Amino acid sequence: MPRITVEVDGAVHQDDVEPRVLLVHHLRDRAGRTGTPVGCDTSNCGACTVLMDGLSVKSCSVLAVQADGREITTVEGLGLGGAPHPMQRAFHEEHALQCGYCTPGMIMAAIDLLRENPDPSETEIRAGLEGNLCRCTGYQNIVRAVRRAAAEMRDPAAAREVAP
Amino acid sequence: MIPAAFDYARPASLDEAVRVLADAGEDAKVLAGGQSLMPLLRLRLAYPDALVDLDRLDGLREIRDDGDAVVIGALATHHQVLRDPLVNEHLPLLARATATVADPAVRHRGTFGGSLAHADPAGDLPAVALALDAVLHARSVRGEREIPAAEFFVDWMTSALEPDELLTAVRIPKLGPGWGVHYEKFHRTAQAWAIVGVACAVRRVQGAVEDVRVALTNMGPVPVRASAVERFAEGRTLSRDALRAAAAHAADGTGPPADLHGSAEYRTHLAGVLTARALTAAAGV
Amino acid sequence: MTEIGTARRRSEDARLVTGRTRWTDNIAPAGTLYAAFLRSPYAHARITGVDAEAARRRPNVVAVLTGADLAGEQGALPCAWTVTEDMRNPAHPPMAVEEVRYAGEPVACVVARDRYAAYDALEDIDVDYEPLPAVVDMERAVQDGAALVHADLGTNESYRWVFENGDLDAAFRDAPVVLERRYVQQRLIPTAMEPRAVLCEPDGDGFTLYSATQIPHILRLMLATVTGIGEHRIRVVAPDVGGGFGSKLQVYGEEVLCLLLARRLGRPVKWTETRSEGNMAVHHGRDQIQRLRLAADGDGRVRGLKVDLLADMGAYLMLVTPGIPLLGAFMFNGIYKMDAYSFACTGVFTTKTPTDAYRGAGRPEATFGIERLMDELAAELGLDPIEVRRRNWIGHGEFPYDTIAGLTYDSGDYEAATDKALALFEYDKLRAEQADRRERRDPVQLGIGVSTFTEMCGLAPSRVLGSLSYGAGGWEHAAVRVLPSGKVEVVTGSSAHGQGHETAWAQITADRLGVPFEDVKVLHGDTAVSPKGMDTYGSRSLAVGGVALYRACDKVIDKARVLAAHLLEAAEGDLEFTAGRFAVRGVRDAGVTLQEVTSAAFAAHDLPDGVEPTLDSDATFDPDNFSFPHGTHLCAAEVDTETGMVRLRSYVAVDDIGKVVNPLIVEGQVHGGLAQGIAQALYEEAVYDADGNLTTTTMADYLVPSAADLPAFTTDRTETPATSNPLGVKGVGEAGTIASTPAVVNAVVDALRPFGVTDVPMPCTPERVWRALRGDQGAGHASAEPGAAGGLGSAGGGR
């Protein structure tokens, strides 16, 4: 079995893994990061989205061996010193989640979106999140949350201006 | 679901990769970005004995200028292609079509070469490669060879690559000045595959259509060049009516599939409508 | 302090946005074994042999069990709704023993030390099948000589249920307008984002079963009934549950089997569904064929309505399968007055996945029928669809109103909701644009769809359920425990799975008891913590469970009042309770806080005679009547007449759900409901081929819309309080779904009316719209030829 080294949310994990093990199962079963769930088997739903070396990937469609030597950030690795990431805060403030199952992936995809485009329009946000399905919210508040987080991340003082 | 077990190799060089592939035999699969392969493995629709992971072959990620062409390493990701200045300057059709592939997370992993080698007629990029007269570079322990796009897509999900061959790069001639391009993708939801797609490039000279390339996504077991459209459009005065008349021939000679999202008859109809839109958009009329 | 009505941010979010969640699949006690199910690849077949020896010999495999192995103990899955005395309800083994009747039915199970090993072993199980004829088409299934799903029944009809009121013959006799329509409610897959998961852990003398369920209480009782294990030996926990929409209102075979496996093996057994097996094995929704006849006067006044349904049960009757279409019996009349009405429904067995509740459950189907008909009536008479509705709806002054379907609508203000919606939508402006596009023969036509809906919520008055032969009551339970420190624990029998009860219930409690919101903790979803309950479905939680909580709070106040009077040496009648403090009326300084009363109640040093220590209460609420949310939804759709593509341009929803506890949560429920209703209209369909194979087993084929596919919604409210409960609330969980489907289809058809189009079957795919434009009505159900085209049906292309 190949031995792999993966940094998950800042902690280095060394493991022998079967080549066929999916990254998401590795994260959940070996690295103890159960915050990242699995929602489908065709990479459509995006619930398992994490960042790999800073770019969003669907961790159900990456083998754990492909993550060897890379850094993974999950929803559990966001935020600093116990304070939530602005995107997490915005999802809460804008009621951008209901059951919350898509939320980890949606938050990671949204963070990736803002890395590419710090000030996206509504259309750009909708297009940027096309790979993440939510069954509860109808997406409207997710779009609001991403706009709010974008404003805050560009200029923390601006956060108040987008409040409803 | 969960993939069946397989052997795994991660060669460190291209030489090693082709050697491993040659040794692995017919039931080995090449793993590039894995965005097409992983769902197949998980649904157990594919049972390779071995995967040869190209992840360490960083040399195959390069996109470079080669005079009158751009050479795109087979492992360049869609994300990389989309942002590459050479692609955007000289191959805007590829950039536009790539932007419609799947979603951002998939584009971070999925590769240009993988999309072509997968030879899915519903994929957006095979038609682009065909329209742009790309030449695909393959390598095996037996040596290197070049395969024109027109000969690369052999059948449904089947390319001209031999089991021991790796796609290493794709050479695409630059479109010079005067060309307009468009990729018209028609799908039911943002994530869905194209029911029909039209890759189109038009060169205008003094109010006439000097040169035109049209290739269709998902209008048969392989991407198809709409030669009849090209024939009818070339040399015509640049007008919406002329382009529409040419587009009416889009489905000539095609054998479109029927599936959940569209019958063959509907695809035939769509091909004409979408080709007209692609042509007029590319020509800017 | 008025907590009720405040847009509180949800308490639940803290764990959900940080990934510190407790999904069933996250829970893995030491020694957990993993189950995987082998499922039938046939729609209908006899099992002639199962060879599991090779699977048993595989590494890490602990057990392989077939239906035959479990036949003595697995019992039959329950149906709790015997809708007619002669309803046919065939036995439904959790794992098939002799015959499989839908593709995806479990036939064998592997239990292994890890899930990869379990899936591997499935491939080594050899099942011999003798294929039997598939029964796919409902209309053919009820004809003489049709192949039978259950041969011993001698028919594919499960039941026929009839309701009649008024003289229908008179209504249709000489009616100036008679419309006849056939509408199909396509089969849907609920697709909660969290796939199902079950973990059963033996603990001493019983079992703890974790399940992604909406109904821990009902599930506990049913598990006990099916397996014979004492109800007191089973604890059911619904931890964080990732959505349900009705799909987790069920007692599934996998839940029973995990319990039996844990008992056999003495180890925790876990099963987590994959999406592609879930699409086959989670119950489906909708799926009925409606034959509708409507009689009207020349001025558009509706005289009578005749409804004849075929409802697809699938292969078996599950928990409430047969009753779902019958909920529509009370709703086909919508908000309209009429003289006569008849409803008949035939439940039909087919060799397909069983159907059951999906968001709205019977009411969306009925609302679709009547709201489509009202638009058709308007078109027939050349009237504006709003005007036709005005001429027929129950006026605000006419409530309470006894409907032709036998319900009493307690309240409503259809005029106010409609006026507000029209203004927000800019109705006249859009009609002008529509006329302009028609004039110009624009290839992109504009359509405007109307839906003035109502629904029955707050399921349900127990006496009504009794009269419908439902197997349980419709009450709900709540308990309030004021802790010695003055903090409050609330126990609810409602079982939230995304709705935000932890927040809303804390708001109700804080409001009633005058304690800070932060001082309230809501406990739910665990039968050891919340022993009594009827769980969450049917937009019932607030209108029934919330009211139970309101009453429990009142009981706490009542008890505290006795104590406060004693402490203040005042008469109870002289005490006022406001903002958490009892005060003697007219004596400003004489008062005692709830906190102080609580201390006294716990110290118990000086309690009045007959007052027991501690301050807590229990209450149940059983509503006298349903609640009737209503609203007016308007949809503008652009239809590309060259390709058939539909794009929603704008959507306005004005809902009247009575009093609102948390407007933020309400708005979210409406948004999500709209998305699902629009998805039915435009995108989603569970498609079976002629052999009974489900061809939409993955999310690549079953199209759940993304953010990029949906418009921004404009939502607003009017507020006509329900009179059937003291909170004045009605329920909001299903309103958006119920209202939006007909609004969208009406818009699509409206865009195409100049072309002679009167209907487009759902989902209104581009091809179906294109075919409708060509006069090919009802056609365009694309034949499924998996693998013929590219894409993931053939898997994974283009990426």
Side-chain angles (χ1 to χ4, degrees), chain C residues 165 167-177 294-305 337-341 377 392 404:
Chain C
N165 192 12
D167 186 343
L168 202 69
D169 288 339
F172 276 85
R173 198 177 305 130
D174 308 322
V177 181
L294 180 137
D297 287 332
D299 63 358
R301 195 189 67 86
V302 175
R303 296 164 62 149
L305 175 66
K337 299 178 279 193
M338 56 187 76
D339 307 326
Y341 170 62
L377 180 60
N392 285 287
I404 195 74

Side-chain angles (χ1 to χ4, degrees), chain C residues 375 383-385 425-442 444-449 635-639 649 746-755:
Chain C
D375 259 38
L383 291 171
D384 185 281
F425 189 69
E426 300 190 282
Y427 186 79
D428 295 337
K429 200 169 142 191
L430 283 166
R431 282 284 180 211
E433 181 184 332
Q434 177 182 50
D436 178 56
R437 287 196 192 216
R438 284 178 178 176
E439 178 78 15
R440 285 191 286 119
R441 299 177 190 281
D442 191 324
V444 179
Q445 288 288 314
L446 182 68
I448 294 167
C635 174
E638 291 180 354
V639 182
R649 159 104 155 253
N746 278 339
V748 172
V749 174
D750 185 55
L752 304 178
R753 281 213 196 269
F755 303 89

Side-chain angles (χ1 to χ4, degrees), chain B residues 113 118 127 140-142 179 189 230 244 259 272:
Chain B
H118 191 56
S140 70
V141 286
R142 294 171 290 121
W179 285 90
T189 57
E230 297 178 352
R244 283 209 181 121
D259 66 8

Side-chain angles (χ1 to χ4, degrees), chain A residues 51-55 69-73:
Chain A
L51 303 184
M52 184 152 90
D53 288 347
L55 298 180
R70 301 184 189 275
E71 281 177 31
I72 303 295
T73 308

Side-chain angles (χ1 to χ4, degrees), chain B residues 2 36 40 44 47 78 101 110 115 118 120 122-123 156 187-190 193 218 257-260 262-263 265-266 269 277, chain C residues 116 119-120 123 640 642-643 645 682-683 695 709 765-767 770-771 774 782 787-791 794-799:
Chain B
I2 288 156
S36 298
L40 293 175
R44 299 203 174 191
Y47 282 83
H78 302 310
V101 172
S115 288
H118 191 56
D120 187 335
W156 187 77
H187 46 171
R188 284 183 56 199
T189 57
W193 272 263
N218 220 3
D259 66 8
L260 280 174
S263 65
E265 185 190 15
Y266 179 56
H269 165 77
R277 291 181 183 184
Chain C
Y116 282 46
Y119 278 99
D120 290 345
E123 306 209 346
D640 183 333
E642 292 179 345
T643 63
M645 182 60 99
L682 296 181
Y683 301 118
T695 58
D709 304 304
T765 65
E767 176 159 3
W770 173 71
R771 286 191 181 278
R774 299 200 321 164
S794 50
R799 301 196 146 191

Side-chain angles (χ1 to χ4, degrees), chain C residues 276-450:
Chain C
S276 47
E277 73 177 327
N279 275 15
M280 294 191 289
V282 170
H283 73 238
H284 293 173
R286 312 283 191 264
D287 204 348
Q288 56 178 237
I289 297 171
Q290 310 176 333
R291 290 188 176 280
L292 309 175
R293 288 189 82 214
L294 180 137
D297 287 332
D299 63 358
R301 195 189 67 86
V302 175
R303 296 164 62 149
L305 175 66
K306 184 173 190 300
V307 175
D308 208 336
L309 301 186
L310 291 181
D312 196 335
M313 306 284 100
Y316 303 97
L317 303 183
M318 295 193 72
L319 192 61
V320 290
T321 301
I324 295 302
L326 307 186
L327 291 173
F330 308 100
M331 287 282 108
F332 264 99
N333 53 310
I335 62 170
Y336 310 111
K337 299 178 279 193
M338 56 187 76
D339 307 326
Y341 170 62
S342 90
F343 172 97
C345 176
T346 304
V348 183
F349 290 115
T350 59
T351 54
K352 291 186 264 184
T353 301
T355 59
D356 208 316
Y358 171 56
R359 201 170 192 173
R363 293 157 286 165
E365 295 92 320
T367 303
F368 181 88
I370 186 64
E371 289 304 305
R372 283 286 295 113
L373 282 178
M374 294 309 279
D375 259 38
E376 292 298 301
L377 180 60
E380 182 77 19
L381 295 170
L383 291 171
D384 185 281
I386 299 281
E387 179 56 28
V388 165
R389 286 167 170 84
R390 279 189 201 281
R391 290 181 189 182
N392 285 287
W393 71 38
I394 302 158
H396 181 53
E398 297 179 77
F399 291 96
Y401 185 87
D402 294 333
T403 73
I404 195 74
L407 296 178
T408 302
Y409 292 179
D410 66 310
S411 62
D413 191 341
Y414 309 138
E415 296 88 341
T418 301
D419 289 346
K420 198 167 199 175
L422 291 172
L424 286 168
F425 189 69
E426 300 190 282
Y427 186 79
D428 295 337
K429 200 169 142 191
L430 283 166
R431 282 284 180 211
E433 181 184 332
Q434 177 182 50
D436 178 56
R437 287 196 192 216
R438 284 178 178 176
E439 178 78 15
R440 285 191 286 119
R441 299 177 190 281
D442 191 324
V444 179
Q445 288 288 314
L446 182 68
I448 294 167
V450 180

Side-chain angles (χ1 to χ4, degrees), chain B residues 178-230:
Chain B
W179 285 90
V181 299
H182 190 76
Y183 185 68
E184 183 78 19
K185 180 173 184 170
F186 189 83
H187 46 171
R188 284 183 56 199
T189 57
Q191 268 201 335
W193 272 263
I195 297 175
V196 174
V198 182
C200 173
V202 176
R203 187 154 68 96
R204 299 164 301 181
V205 175
Q206 291 169 347
V209 178
E210 175 72 17
D211 201 355
V212 58
R213 320 261 190 84
V214 181
L216 306 173
T217 296
N218 220 3
M219 280 297 286
V222 293
V224 261
R225 192 78 178 249
S227 318
V229 176
E230 297 178 352

Side-chain angles (χ1 to χ4, degrees), chain C residues 667-690:
Chain C
E667 193 190 28
Q669 285 289 324
V670 172
H671 290 163
L674 294 178
Q676 282 181 27
I678 291 168
Q680 175 174 9
L682 296 181
Y683 301 118
E684 297 180 17
E685 181 174 25
V687 179
Y688 283 85
D689 68 14

